[in-house]
Amino acid sequence: MNLTPHFTLEELTHTDHRQFDNTPNADEIANLTRLAQFLELVKTTLDGKPIMVNSAFRSKQVNDSVGSRDTSQHRLGCAADIRVPGMTPDQVVRAIMGHGLYFDQIIREFDAWTHISIPNTAAALPRRQAIIIDKAGTRPFA
């Protein structure tokens, strides 16, 4: 099912943990649709480069299996971990920040992927929080 021209529900709910149900409910699908719309803006910002989604929506079982917190925005369908071929995660973060997109949170994680999220509800204002998480810990993106 296409949520937007370039992103499908299947892509945003894919998991390698197939033994667990990862089916979103109606509210989570609404959030995934908002996320897909935001990812379209990211794609445009990055001059149409492909966006590879490593992980987006995670059911509680999937989220627990990857060791993530229950408060993760992935649980709500409001976050995606992405890679962009030909760009480092640092370049992705800088491009998104430089174009003034209204992300809730953007994280350069272990210099391997970029976590990006939208607010948990359509009415909420984005926090525009930019951080780095790696072996050295968690710190503001500078």
Side-chain angles (χ1 to χ4, degrees):
M1 171 178 148
N2 283 352
L3 298 175
T4 63
H6 297 101
F7 299 97
T8 66
L9 180 62
E10 292 76 19
E11 177 180 18
L12 297 181
T13 58
H14 172 80
T15 181
D16 290 337
H17 301 274
R18 293 189 182 110
Q19 70 272 29
F20 301 125
D21 182 28
N22 202 43
T23 306
N25 65 32
D27 290 338
E28 293 159 346
I29 290 172
N31 285 339
L32 286 166
T33 301
R34 288 189 308 113
L35 179 63
Q37 291 165 347
F38 182 77
L39 290 172
E40 291 287 352
L41 295 175
V42 171
K43 184 173 182 66
T44 299
T45 296
L46 301 178
D47 297 322
K49 287 182 173 59
I51 294 175
M52 312 302 288
V53 178
N54 296 341
S55 177
F57 174 74
R58 295 183 197 144
S59 68
K60 175 155 179 48
Q61 287 181 311
V62 170
N63 200 59
D64 289 349
S65 73
V66 300
S68 189
R69 296 180 182 154
D70 280 338
T71 57
S72 170
Q73 288 179 290
H74 288 279
R75 289 278 296 111
L76 303 172
C78 292
D81 295 337
I82 64 170
R83 290 176 297 108
V84 179
M87 293 182 77
T88 67
D90 193 73
Q91 290 171 322
V92 172
V93 170
R94 290 187 188 285
I96 291 169
M97 290 175 64
H99 280 84
L101 294 183
Y102 290 101
F103 58 87
D104 189 59
Q105 191 177 57
I106 193 165
I107 306 171
R108 188 188 81 197
E109 292 196 59
F110 301 98
D111 215 19
W113 66 86
T114 304
H115 167 100
I116 191 154
S117 69
I118 57 173
N120 292 349
T121 65
L125 295 175
R127 294 177 290 170
R128 294 184 53 97
Q129 181 182 43
I131 60 178
I132 296 169
I133 296 176
D134 58 20
K135 290 180 182 178
T138 302
R139 60 195 178 280
F141 187 91

